Amino acid sequence: MVRSNAEVAALLQEYADLLAITGGDAFKARAYEKAARAIDGFPTDVAGLDTKGLQEIPNVGKSIAEKIVEFLHTGQVSIVEEARAEIPAGVRELITIPGLGPRKALILHQELGISSVAELLDALDDERLRDLKGFGEKTEANIRHGIALLQQAGGRILLGAAMEAAEQVIAALSEVTGCRRCTYAGSLRRMRETIGDIDILVAAEHSAPFMEAFAALPNTAEVIVQGEKKTSIRTTKGLQVDLRVLPPAAWGAGLLYFTGSKAHNIRIRELAVRHKLKLSEYGLFHTETGRNLASRTEESVYARLGLPWIPPTLREDRGEVAAALRNALPELVTEADIRGDLHTHTDLTDGVASLADMVDAAAARGYTYYAVTDHAPDMAMQQMTDAKMLAQREQLRQLNGKYRKLHLLHGTELNIGPDGEVDWPAEFLAGFDLCVASVHSHFNQSRDQLTKRLVRACENPHVKIIGHPTTRLIGKRPGIDADFDAVFAACARTGTALEINAHPERLDLNDEDILRAKRHGVKFAVNTDAHATTHLPYMRYGVGTAQRGWLTKDDVINAWPLPRLRRFLAQGRSA
């Protein structure tokens, strides 16, 4: 069953945005934002809670709880509907543009009468934004870039949302009598950061029961096409899902074919042709005799072409076939290799779970070590103090003895200021097991300023990981404009790891940046940046992104044994 938390959180966040657009109470808007984050990270489905139960969730008071119950019972909330009615739909569309927040959307509507993306583009072409307070040429360029990001995203959804939808379909179809195998394919199996359509494959002797069950799924809004070999539906959230039923004997060939990518498949088919063979979704066939030479498993198809099995995350035609022919494919890092998470938060700052709950969840994942890295004081809204951080350190030390196999590390996420300075002085930083440093503001500095800012942070001997290095939010905020080759070189020189932030909205660094950074000799940390216990499983998406960047466990510091990790963290700290 689909958890209601995401839908409730989206509604609360929308209301916070609507309040911001209309110039409503800023404290009220902030309260709804906090509640949205708390609901999204709450481990239990809120659909099963009453008003009293909802108030047990951090940052959810009686008023918000009552509105959640109203939404769960009726599908809407009266005050949200009223707020929507006050604002033209086009203005609400404006706030979806990356880099254009509610305040600027309101100014554009009030001052220039803009209420759609098309009208905004016309205003940009006419240079009408430049006379508005808070706008200028750089703002215009950022808005244009945001519109381009919005248009580029089209109907694509984030990896995490696509995975959740696919696994719900797989769970349902796997229960149908006659199902031999069922899985997802396509760009989802390749762990692309955004997904267009979801491809589901079933191996079975008879397709009709699966096509009928698929079309009748609870979240089906429309059956686009229904046939013997393929059925396509559109879900209630507008996502297209395609189902193909394959004969069990053709499973491997079909899985290879429908996983793609298109460029990888072309490369494989070219190799087949050179061997006088023909590859299709039903098997690898001898061109002259038509005999099926391999089809049951992907491994057998690749082997018949003289190749080892190529992991799906590498199948982008970026040299993987040539490497396979040389027997030079990397042994990719896997989720099982990850020994711990080195960037997480608690409710001491902006997390929604207690320290004890986060540690319990980490222990349940079988980690060897786990770092708590709450925000430092320069993030003023988090109200961190030296005393609070030291008290947490003591609490962590007391918890350390509770777990036989899990070693707890006390860290912090520092803020990289506009000049590259970080929050605490060196003597205070020396007390942490590790420091993650991240950019959280001043995204529009010049390329030279941003580059120097990041390089300076790398040169701080107490900073061992640069968190979410480009700061991007997929489809919402572009990455900062820095010379990242210079940053990568600085990381390699100073022994500073770069984070692969596993949150589906970030996946930062992305695969192409990872490939570039690896050529500089950089090491990486795959972290979840978890703000709730439900975020810890995001590790799978970070590992998938690391695989797309051709990383091995030797490249990833939190795949190392604790003694080796400790040596890395201690390196240079006496400087």
Side-chain angles (χ1 to χ4, degrees), residues 402-423:
K402 178 181 175 182
Y403 304 94
R404 187 167 60 88
K405 296 183 178 179
L406 178 64
H407 189 90
L408 301 177
L409 303 173
H410 192 227
T412 183
E413 184 181 13
L414 302 167
N415 184 56
I416 302 174
D419 58 357
E421 286 288 340
V422 295
D423 306 65

